[in-house]
Amino acid sequence: MTSKSSSMKKLSALIFILLTYCISSPDTKKNSGTNILKNTSTEQNDLEKNDAEDLGSQINTDTDKTVKEDTKIYTIDSVDAKPYFEGGINKFQKFIRNNYYYPDEWPVINGTVETNFIVEKDSTISDISITKDAGYETGKEAIRILKKSPRWIPGIYNHKPVRVRYYLTIPLNTNHE
């Protein structure tokens, strides 16, 4: 029973101190309780403004991160699953052979055209470039064919589709026989 009465005394003393502080505060002496309400609402408004600003900057930061992540281009070795042509590379090579146009006036060309492009998250190909051309506009023809390419399966990083730079060598044999 002594510990209970001791706790009650401490609680009563704490309440008394708080009431005394509130009553003797300079703000309350002027207009009895009006200033407390004004100060409380002003402080609350300031807090709400700060919270809104913090939230706004947090939203902008998150949006910026999302935009940066969306446009990042990964290398083929940095993704969890590499992009690939639906049906496999052999089917893609067959697509190239069936669609690559060799004008009759071209001499026999045995060589390669080296290309790279981005396999987008939506399975399309973009940013096609030629790093090695075998001459006679073979690079230009490779770009034409890649633009016609059916969709690919995009690369995956952290369980999400991502943009991946893909390198492809196209072997050429323009023998017209």
Side-chain angles (χ1 to χ4, degrees):
M1 191 145 162
T2 350
S3 75
K4 196 172 192 179
S5 70
S6 168
S7 297
M8 289 298 284
K9 285 180 183 178
K10 287 180 184 177
L11 182 60
S12 297
L14 182 60
I15 291 172
F16 176 76
I17 291 170
L18 286 174
L19 287 174
T20 306
Y21 176 76
C22 288
I23 292 170
S24 66
S25 155
D27 289 339
T28 56
K29 286 181 182 176
K30 293 179 187 172
N31 293 326
S32 82
T34 313
N35 284 340
I36 292 176
L37 293 175
K38 284 182 183 175
N39 287 341
T40 305
S41 67
T42 303
E43 288 172 6
Q44 187 174 1
N45 287 340
D46 290 344
L47 287 173
E48 287 172 358
K49 284 179 187 175
N50 289 339
D51 288 346
E53 288 171 5
D54 290 345
L55 182 59
S57 66
Q58 196 174 26
I59 289 170
N60 290 340
T61 303
D62 292 343
T63 304
D64 291 344
K65 286 179 185 175
T66 303
V67 170
K68 288 177 186 173
E69 288 173 12
D70 286 346
T71 60
K72 182 176 180 180
I73 300 170
Y74 292 81
T75 62
I76 196 112
D77 295 327
S78 66
V79 293
D80 300 327
K82 298 175 182 178
Y84 62 92
F85 185 75
E86 194 169 357
I89 195 69
N90 291 335
K91 188 173 180 181
F92 187 63
Q93 289 172 343
K94 184 177 180 182
F95 165 78
I96 290 173
R97 278 192 309 274
N98 291 339
N99 291 284
Y100 207 98
Y101 173 71
Y102 299 102
D104 290 336
E105 61 271 6
W106 280 7
V108 173
I109 299 174
N110 289 316
T112 59
V113 175
E114 294 179 10
T115 67
N116 69 71
F117 49 85
I118 296 173
V119 178
E120 297 287 347
K121 293 185 285 185
D122 68 355
S123 304
T124 59
I125 291 178
S126 70
D127 194 32
I128 302 167
S129 63
I130 304 300
T131 55
K132 180 183 172 192
D133 191 337
Y136 298 95
E137 297 185 346
T138 54
K140 187 176 177 181
E141 180 62 10
I143 290 172
R144 186 188 71 80
I145 295 299
L146 290 173
K147 285 181 178 180
K148 286 178 54 173
S149 172
R151 293 183 175 261
W152 286 58
I153 306 300
I156 302 293
Y157 184 72
N158 284 339
H159 308 289
K160 294 179 185 172
V162 292
R163 303 173 76 209
V164 179
R165 173 124 353 241
Y166 193 90
Y167 297 88
L168 178 71
T169 300
I170 301 171
L172 297 176
N173 181 352
T174 62
N175 196 350
H176 299 291
E177 297 175 10

